[in-house]
Amino acid sequence: MKKSIAFILVLLMLLSLIACNKDVSDTQNTENDIQEDNNVSSEESSVQVSVKYRNLECSTYIINGTYPIMTFSEEYQEKYPEIWKEISDLNEIWCNTVETYLSEFALYKEGFVENKVPRREIIAWFTRFDDALITLEISDSGEEFRHTIINYDTKTQHKLSLEDVFFDKSALTERFTSAIQKAYPELIGTIEEYNAMNNTEYEDIYEYILKETNYNWYISSFGLWIEFAAGEIAPQRDDVIQVSFAPGLIKEKYRYDDSDSDFLTTFYECKDEEKQEFAIKELQKLADTVLLSNPSWDYYVADGQHAARNHISLRKISEVWPDENNIDIWADAHGFTIASQQYEDDSYIYYPVKYADNNPYYYYSELRIYSKAEKKIVYAYNLEDLCNGPNLMSGITSDTKQYLKYCKIIDNILYMAICLNGYSAEEPMSNYLVAEDLDTNEILFKTEPLTVNSRNFVIIGDTIICGYGFTDETDWIYLLDRYTGARIDSIPVDSMVEQFGEKDGVLYVITYNMLYEFKIIK
């Protein structure tokens, strides 16, 4: 299913911090410019919403970029405070994204990051703005072109789903099927097959589309148009699929008549700014890359490491089937988000990098860690030997490719999950949790094999909680000592652990087909 725009924007914000340092005063000036643009109303009293484009050029590396700055009048800032807050946040994200991209391209030219094209352009515009509906479109020409449409209810200022605008949702599946069959008769079988293989939470893919707010759609005088990205509902399709519905299926208050609104011609303006030189003052070279060795394919603990005396235990509170729950909503309701390999915490941004070009995109064997306090990359690791050998004791290499799945720094120790995407029979010596001393680069411990392949792990006090399992294998939650990696407890679960979340003394566990809650007992 399509990733939500919220996730995309968070990812853009993450990438915006991993870049070459610009001169601090330049950065502050840019932030001040954005703040001033956000706060100043348009000079023309009739103009309520304006967008101007800042065009940046870096003559040193022959690169350029463009990003929008949207402005609401004071009247509209007061009238639409929630929408204005989102627009203000987007202004900063767009600025950071383009400026960071230019800096990262400079790093590419110096041989530090993967290939990038010499231009980044983000444009944004309103295609509708009236008393019922506000439609914002965003186009981003990054490495992969992205087109995003966001629809807001003008009264509530909330994002709308398709379910909100159809007045009659009965027989929606038949209407979708009919519309697609009419426009793309060759795709019906492909879409039905894709639906059967990938959808578990809803009866059909169209029910999911109806409820989500992250699909691209807009309402014109001709009806409602839905835009599916390449591969979104038909994996073999490499271009955009558009489906339309007649105006009569739309709730009357959201229907659109071109003659009903003069906003886009009277109260809205768009203009370009002069080009500005973007000076990269000093390239942020990476910290010296450290090659971490693989001490053993068996359990290993360094001399001088001693287990803690106090560990937590878990008591199960509840378990529910997730087919009636949206997992993203369930996670959000309990205060955590779905884990990813690239993420940030309060102190660091963890940025895994693909080491070998012939590996799948998520097979990370290199790691960079960016310090928020120091505003630079402070640790850089080559993990190829740690993941795949040879190990120091026997010189044996892994039979399959293992990679960094998740990592976290606690008390100057870097904890890493080194995992295999496959059955343990393919490589029994796989799926370890490893701890490394950040000061000495010494491996402090490496757990027993087949200990972790969950998306993340959590550390509570002196206890690490992780999960391991796979199809036709026993599925476990493991509690480990934080200093030796030794197993303290093993809790069987119904299916493979996907992720953990912890809040207010409760451990939340997402597995392949069950949602668990455990009381954390200290």
Side-chain angles (χ1 to χ4, degrees):
M1 299 296 180
K2 185 177 180 181
K3 295 180 180 177
S4 69
I5 183 171
F7 176 79
I8 294 172
L9 295 179
V10 168
L11 180 59
L12 292 177
M13 292 180 72
L14 185 151
L15 291 174
S16 74
L17 295 171
I18 305 169
C20 317
N21 275 348
K22 292 199 310 171
D23 182 81
V24 173
S25 62
D26 283 358
T27 303
Q28 290 174 340
N29 289 338
T30 299
E31 291 174 352
N32 290 338
D33 290 344
I34 293 291
Q35 191 62 39
E36 288 174 8
D37 285 316
N38 280 346
N39 290 332
V40 175
S41 60
S42 190
E43 295 178 2
E44 308 251 350
S45 60
S46 63
V47 174
Q48 302 287 11
V49 175
S50 67
V51 57
K52 62 182 179 182
Y53 287 94
R54 184 156 292 166
N55 302 295
L56 303 178
E57 289 188 344
C58 178
S59 55
T60 305
Y61 292 95
I62 321 298
I63 51 181
N64 59 80
T66 298
Y67 63 86
I69 303 171
M70 285 192 159
T71 306
F72 279 19
S73 67
E74 291 182 2
E75 177 187 345
Y76 269 40
Q77 289 181 33
E78 294 176 1
K79 188 175 182 179
Y80 307 111
E82 293 184 32
I83 296 174
W84 170 239
K85 183 182 183 304
E86 287 205 25
I87 295 297
S88 298
D89 291 343
L90 286 171
N91 280 337
E92 293 189 20
I93 291 168
W94 294 330
C95 169
N96 289 336
T97 298
V98 172
E99 289 189 349
T100 295
Y101 188 89
L102 300 186
S103 295
E104 286 188 336
F105 184 83
L107 281 178
Y108 156 64
K109 296 296 286 186
E110 296 294 324
F112 288 110
V113 300
E114 295 177 5
N115 187 24
K116 290 181 176 294
V117 296
R119 174 163 178 76
R120 184 68 176 265
E121 179 183 63
I122 298 175
I123 59 175
W125 65 99
F126 287 104
T127 50
R128 180 172 172 182
F129 202 129
D130 55 38
D131 291 338
L133 188 66
I134 297 174
T135 301
L136 172 65
E137 295 198 47
I138 306 164
S139 173
D140 181 356
S141 65
E143 286 93 339
E144 296 182 3
F145 176 80
R146 291 192 184 98
H147 178 221
T148 302
I149 302 176
I150 311 174
N151 290 281
Y152 301 94
D153 182 288
T154 311
K155 302 296 185 186
T156 67
Q157 301 183 52
H158 295 160
K159 292 177 183 177
L160 291 170
S161 68
L162 287 165
E163 186 175 51
D164 298 321
V165 298
F166 278 109
F167 87 89
D168 180 10
K169 296 184 286 292
S170 64
L172 184 68
T173 296
E174 290 79 1
R175 290 195 179 99
F176 264 105
T177 304
S178 176
I180 293 175
Q181 190 167 27
K182 181 178 179 181
Y184 307 94
E186 73 280 8
L187 294 182
I188 290 299
T190 302
I191 292 172
E192 290 175 349
E193 180 181 355
Y194 182 69
N195 176 31
M197 290 175 58
N198 291 276
N199 190 56
T200 58
E201 296 183 38
Y202 300 98
E203 291 184 3
D204 58 64
I205 192 172
Y206 306 113
E207 183 182 357
Y208 178 87
I209 292 168
L210 188 69
K211 293 180 180 294
E212 294 297 305
T213 61
N214 56 325
Y215 283 89
N216 285 350
W217 57 270
Y218 63 91
I219 296 173
S220 71
S221 57
F222 298 100
L224 186 146
W225 295 76
I226 306 174
E227 178 185 283
F228 297 106
E232 190 165 32
I233 59 171
Q236 297 177 348
R237 189 84 179 195
D238 59 2
D239 58 352
V240 171
I241 295 174
Q242 282 196 335
V243 181
S244 63
F245 294 88
L249 295 174
I250 306 167
K251 290 179 180 178
E252 187 173 358
K253 69 176 181 177
Y254 294 124
R255 295 175 192 172
Y256 184 67
D257 186 338
D258 293 336
S259 63
D260 288 343
S261 174
D262 59 358
F263 175 87
L264 295 179
T265 57
T266 307
F267 304 108
Y268 176 62
E269 71 173 6
C270 178
K271 58 185 179 182
D272 265 1
E273 278 196 345
E274 295 296 323
K275 289 182 173 60
Q276 300 179 14
E277 176 67 16
F278 180 74
I280 299 173
K281 300 295 185 182
E282 181 181 354
L283 288 180
Q284 159 78 56
K285 288 183 168 47
L286 299 180
D288 292 337
T289 300
V290 175
L291 177 65
L292 293 183
S293 59
N294 185 335
S296 172
W297 289 115
D298 298 312
Y299 173 66
Y300 167 86
V301 61
D303 293 339
Q305 289 296 108
H306 303 288
R309 294 183 178 181
N310 298 315
H311 300 98
I312 68 164
S313 59
L314 300 176
R315 178 171 56 82
K316 186 167 68 174
I317 301 171
S318 67
E319 61 181 65
V320 295
W321 289 92
D323 52 348
E324 295 182 358
N325 298 273
N326 183 302
I327 290 178
D328 292 283
I329 295 175
W330 185 81
D332 184 63
H334 292 93
F336 63 96
T337 57
I338 300 302
S340 63
Q341 290 167 294
Q342 298 177 5
Y343 81 102
E344 62 181 291
D345 58 25
D346 292 339
S347 301
Y348 299 100
I349 299 173
Y350 304 91
Y351 189 56
V353 180
K354 185 174 67 172
Y355 186 66
D357 290 337
N358 61 342
N359 290 334
Y361 72 93
Y362 56 85
Y363 274 31
Y364 294 114
S365 297
E366 220 176 73
L367 173 65
R368 299 168 190 166
I369 301 175
Y370 178 97
S371 167
K372 292 182 176 180
E374 299 183 51
K375 300 185 183 302
K376 65 178 183 179
I377 296 171
V378 290
Y379 304 108
Y381 296 102
N382 180 339
L383 307 175
E384 181 63 23
D385 285 1
L386 180 64
C387 291
N388 298 296
N391 69 317
L392 297 178
M393 291 187 176
S394 62
I396 296 173
T397 58
S398 176
D399 287 338
T400 59
K401 204 69 175 176
Q402 301 185 50
Y403 60 95
L404 176 68
K405 192 165 188 178
Y406 188 78
C407 61
K408 189 171 186 64
I409 293 174
I410 298 288
D411 296 339
N412 218 45
I413 298 175
L414 172 63
Y415 296 89
M416 297 170 281
I418 307 298
C419 299
L420 163 72
N421 184 23
Y423 293 94
S424 60
E426 299 175 43
E427 176 51 270
M429 298 298 154
S430 61
N431 298 291
Y432 299 87
L433 202 145
V434 181
E436 180 247 5
D437 187 310
L438 291 173
D439 289 332
T440 64
N441 298 318
E442 179 186 10
I443 300 299
L444 301 178
F445 70 75
K446 187 177 180 183
T447 64
E448 296 178 45
L450 309 183
T451 293
V452 60
N453 63 354
S454 46
R455 289 183 183 179
N456 72 341
F457 51 82
V458 294
I459 300 175
I460 302 173
D462 292 332
T463 307
I464 302 171
I465 306 173
C466 61
Y468 177 79
F470 207 72
T471 306
D472 296 329
E473 297 185 32
T474 306
D475 305 295
W476 298 96
I477 294 173
Y478 288 121
L479 277 62
L480 314 175
D481 179 79
R482 186 160 81 88
Y483 302 101
T484 65
R487 291 182 185 175
I488 303 162
D489 197 4
S490 304
I491 302 172
V493 287
D494 187 70
S495 57
M496 174 181 169
V497 174
E498 296 279 353
Q499 179 177 343
F500 299 94
E502 183 268 330
K503 185 180 180 182
D504 298 333
V506 177
L507 180 72
Y508 300 94
V509 184
I510 299 174
T511 72
Y512 182 75
N513 61 11
M514 191 73 73
L515 306 175
Y516 291 92
E517 295 182 16
F518 291 87
K519 177 69 175 177
I520 299 170
I521 302 171
K522 297 183 179 181

